[in-house]
Amino acid sequence: MPRAAFTYEALPYRVVFGEGTLARAADEAGRLGIKRALVLTTPAQHAEGIELGHVLGERLAGSFPEAAMHTPIAVTERAIGLIEANDIDGLVALGGGSAIGLSKALSLRTGLPQIVLPTTYAGSEMTPILGETRDGIKTTQRRRDIVPDIVIYDVDLTMSLPASISATSGLNAMAHAVEALYAPEANPIISLMAEEGIAALARALPQIVASPSDRDARSDALLGAWLCGICLGAVSMSLHHKLCHVLGGSFNLPHAETHAIMLPHVVAYNAKAAPGAMRRIAKALDAPDAALGLFGLQRRLKVPLALADIGMPEDGIDLAAELATRNAYANPRSLDRAALRELLARAWRGEVPLS
Ligand code: NAD
């Protein structure tokens, strides 16, 4: 049988991966001609931002430790004022999706080059996607020119990520790879990365939860997160990401926990419609069944199992099922509102996915 036709397009970032790679930030800034960098972090990671500033040395012009979840435009506008007043010529973000989102939002408006140092497994650094919020309403756009120019992965920066956040953030990353395997634009390169990304995280996350200072596991997890981030940036996502977007937006549920809870249920929903992807997910998990393998991993990682436990009201299930089926989008199995309602009800109660 001939191979399925595909299109593959690579994004143009430079990636530096290793331990102690934070030390290379000044040289990397030099590659981009940055002489007056602005360091971006959340308030919680201001101390790491100061350390990064020391590494940048003469190339540092200021810091802005105000990045926040879902990239509020009001925060971005405050940072622009600082950029204009200080003649900033480059952005260096350290943190998870919040700090990296701010960097992308600023680059979009100013055209400034970006270096990012990810400290979670969320994967935003590898994508041309930016979600921003104004007055609580989130809009998402996809543009090649917001992809960071240089990504420095430093395993050391992930050592402080608490075990519980590592687990949910890692499952969030896995969800990108899972949906890449059944995406309409799935292609051989991205599917290889997806399978290896899932396998690396499935090996590493239980070890991190058991022993958060295990450097080998941290390194494996970061590599897996990188691969999963590439998947998110390369192909379109389906039902899982749509449901998580709806749940986060409608009920203000925490991002990574929502992904962690929903993934086995969505995989079970799509199982019969995407048998090839299911075989690859199961193989990567070293489990007989993809959905049950993910559910088992979730339990071993001691992450929340029920939407009820993270603040979702039971009477929101109908609304979520309605919103997730309101507009058409690609998914291996057609969107059936009653079946989605059942999926959400099981996830709300934390039950085994209906495989
Ligand atoms: P985050 O960046 O908000 O980080 C969560 C918290 O953990 C923050 O307080 C942060 O300071 C702290 N933290 C981060 N790394 C740490 C570390 N190593 N040690 C100790 N504390 C640490 O969370 P996130 O899950 O990385 O990102 C979520 C956000 O990113 C959401 O807004 C989501 O929509 C967005 N996102 C965007 C994309 C994209 O492609 N555009 C992809 C994934 C996520």
Side-chain angles (χ1 to χ4, degrees):
M1 206 167 64
R3 285 191 169 279
F6 65 87
T7 304
Y8 171 68
E9 192 178 340
L11 290 169
Y13 23 52
R14 170 180 163 86
V15 173
V16 176
F17 185 99
E19 297 181 23
T21 44
L22 172 79
R24 299 199 16 205
D27 287 350
E28 296 297 326
R31 286 181 80 94
L32 296 176
I34 297 175
K35 296 196 183 73
R36 295 188 56 75
L38 182 68
V39 168
L40 310 168
T41 64
T42 59
Q45 287 181 292
H46 189 31
E48 288 84 346
I50 291 173
E51 192 191 330
L52 170 59
H54 290 145
V55 171
L56 288 168
E58 289 177 353
R59 295 185 190 274
L60 177 75
S63 61
F64 184 77
E66 294 180 38
M69 197 82 162
H70 304 308
T71 327
I73 289 175
V75 173
T76 303
E77 285 169 350
R78 276 206 303 281
I80 296 230
L82 200 67
I83 287 171
E84 287 170 354
N86 291 279
D87 212 9
I88 299 295
D89 65 2
L91 307 164
V92 186
L94 179 149
S98 297
I100 296 167
L102 174 61
S103 176
K104 288 175 171 176
L106 290 170
S107 182
L108 171 70
R109 290 165 175 79
T110 61
L112 290 177
Q114 310 172 66
I115 300 177
V116 305
L117 296 96
T119 65
T120 71
Y121 306 136
S124 175
E125 66 280 0
M126 284 291 124
T127 80
I129 306 164
L130 170 64
E132 299 182 280
T133 43
R134 191 191 287 278
D135 302 329
I137 300 190
K138 188 163 181 173
T139 49
T140 300
Q141 52 185 312
R142 199 177 246 273
R143 294 175 53 133
R144 274 176 75 97
D145 57 355
I146 56 166
V147 174
D149 301 274
I150 297 179
V151 181
I152 302 178
Y153 286 104
D154 186 341
V155 176
D156 294 349
L157 294 175
T158 64
M159 299 303 293
S160 56
L161 194 64
S164 59
I165 303 182
S166 303
T168 51
S169 187
L171 289 166
N172 178 190
M174 252 188 211
H176 311 330
V178 163
E179 292 225 290
L181 283 167
Y182 54 61
E185 314 86 348
N187 63 71
I189 289 275
I190 293 301
S191 295
L192 277 177
M193 294 189 189
E195 209 174 309
E196 181 50 31
I198 296 168
L201 284 161
R203 280 192 307 268
L205 295 179
Q207 290 182 47
I208 291 174
V209 167
S211 170
S213 58
D214 183 330
R215 297 191 74 82
D216 292 349
R218 289 284 187 184
S219 182
D220 236 7
L222 192 58
L223 188 87
W226 170 47
L227 295 172
C228 292
I230 295 175
C231 296
L232 176 66
V235 298
S236 52
M237 298 286 112
S238 302
L239 176 63
H240 171 81
H241 284 73
K242 176 68 181 182
L243 275 175
C244 292
H245 187 81
V246 163
L247 292 168
S250 307
F251 310 107
N252 200 24
L253 303 188
H255 178 83
E257 283 92 331
T258 308
H259 274 266
I261 292 171
M262 293 307 295
L263 186 59
H265 296 279
V266 176
V267 166
Y269 181 90
N270 280 332
K272 284 208 179 83
M278 295 302 140
R279 271 193 299 279
R280 294 184 84 157
I281 297 164
K283 184 172 153 229
L285 294 169
D286 196 17
D289 177 85
L292 295 179
L294 286 166
F295 190 65
L297 178 63
Q298 211 188 21
R299 278 196 291 196
R300 253 179 297 148
L301 297 178
K302 302 187 179 70
V303 300
L305 296 181
L307 291 175
D309 294 342
I310 60 166
M312 161 106 176
E314 188 171 12
D315 62 8
I317 291 174
D318 282 319
L319 175 66
E322 200 270 311
L323 289 175
T325 48
R326 193 175 275 176
N327 302 315
Y329 49 90
N331 189 60
R333 176 177 165 190
S334 60
L335 303 172
D336 174 316
R337 190 177 316 167
L340 283 183
R341 202 204 168 282
E342 172 64 13
L343 179 166
L344 283 158
R346 295 184 81 86
W348 187 83
R349 295 189 294 263
E351 291 172 1
V352 182
L354 202 56
S355 222

